[in-house]
Amino acid sequence: MDLDRPEAMFAPPPEDPMAPGFGRSTGIERLLAQVSALPPAKGALIVRMPRPEAGAAERLATGLRRYVDVRVRDVELRRMALRREGLQTLGLALVMVLVCVVLSVLLDRVLPSDGLTHRLLSDGVVIVGWVALWRPVDMLVFETWLLRREKRILRRLADLPVRVEAAPV
């Protein structure tokens, strides 16, 4: 990864379209994208700078660990809130499924069983009930999985040894 200075890892890029580095994301955003795109492997974070300062690798490693600690706490809080909301939503969805199944049974008893209207209404009500379950399942399974993945990527990033080298001129 190429950086002008260690602070560029976390600082926003310049807003001036004439400045070098304009339009790029922060170094940490680029690094997270690279780490998430690659399979887990042992390696090192090699940072190239025009004029590396003494202690730059240690400063970057400390900054990365602090950044990861804060982000992991944030991800964990989001996961707990998502779980709570998912369970609340699941309770409502299960009630909806129960109401829809009962309504379908009642429709089976009231409407003639050989008509198209009967099939559409009875089956449609059951489908609506099952569709109501989609959001809670999405929250509790898929979104939670994405947050766990984000946490794993962040921890991989924190475990990378950092080396600083002079950029080729």
Side-chain angles (χ1 to χ4, degrees):
M1 165 169 286
D2 294 321
L3 296 176
D4 296 337
R5 59 195 195 298
E7 295 78 23
M9 179 66 79
F10 305 101
E15 294 181 19
D16 178 5
M18 301 301 285
F22 170 75
R24 299 173 90 182
S25 51
T26 62
I28 192 70
E29 289 168 343
R30 288 182 286 150
L31 185 58
L32 282 170
Q34 289 174 358
V35 170
S36 66
L38 299 173
K42 296 290 180 191
L45 169 59
I46 301 170
V47 179
R48 290 181 297 277
M49 288 191 250
R51 292 172 301 283
E53 307 165 5
E58 292 79 21
R59 285 181 48 218
L60 281 169
T62 300
L64 281 172
R65 280 191 300 276
R66 290 177 66 198
Y67 176 85
V68 166
D69 289 344
V70 168
R71 283 282 303 269
V72 164
R73 281 194 304 269
D74 179 54
V75 167
E76 193 56 35
L77 287 172
R78 286 178 15 223
R79 191 189 64 76
M80 290 185 326
L82 184 66
R83 184 173 187 272
R84 186 185 73 246
E85 185 180 343
L87 289 173
Q88 289 171 345
T89 307
L90 180 63
L92 292 172
L94 289 173
V95 169
M96 180 74 169
V97 168
L98 179 65
V99 166
C100 288
V101 168
V102 168
L103 187 57
S104 176
V105 169
L106 290 175
L107 286 170
D108 283 345
R109 292 185 180 169
V110 171
L111 296 174
S113 62
D114 60 345
L116 177 63
T117 304
H118 167 263
R119 295 280 356 132
L120 286 175
L121 288 176
S122 180
D123 292 348
V125 169
V126 171
I127 290 169
V128 166
W130 286 110
V131 168
L133 280 176
W134 175 253
R135 181 64 181 140
V137 169
D138 184 47
M139 291 167 66
L140 292 169
V141 177
F142 300 109
E143 288 186 40
T144 302
W145 178 82
L146 289 173
L147 289 173
R148 280 195 217 118
R149 180 179 181 273
E150 183 177 347
K151 208 158 93 172
R152 277 193 313 272
I153 291 167
L154 286 164
R155 289 209 170 111
R156 276 182 22 211
L157 179 63
D159 292 341
L160 286 177
V162 179
R163 287 193 343 236
V164 175
E165 299 175 352
V169 182

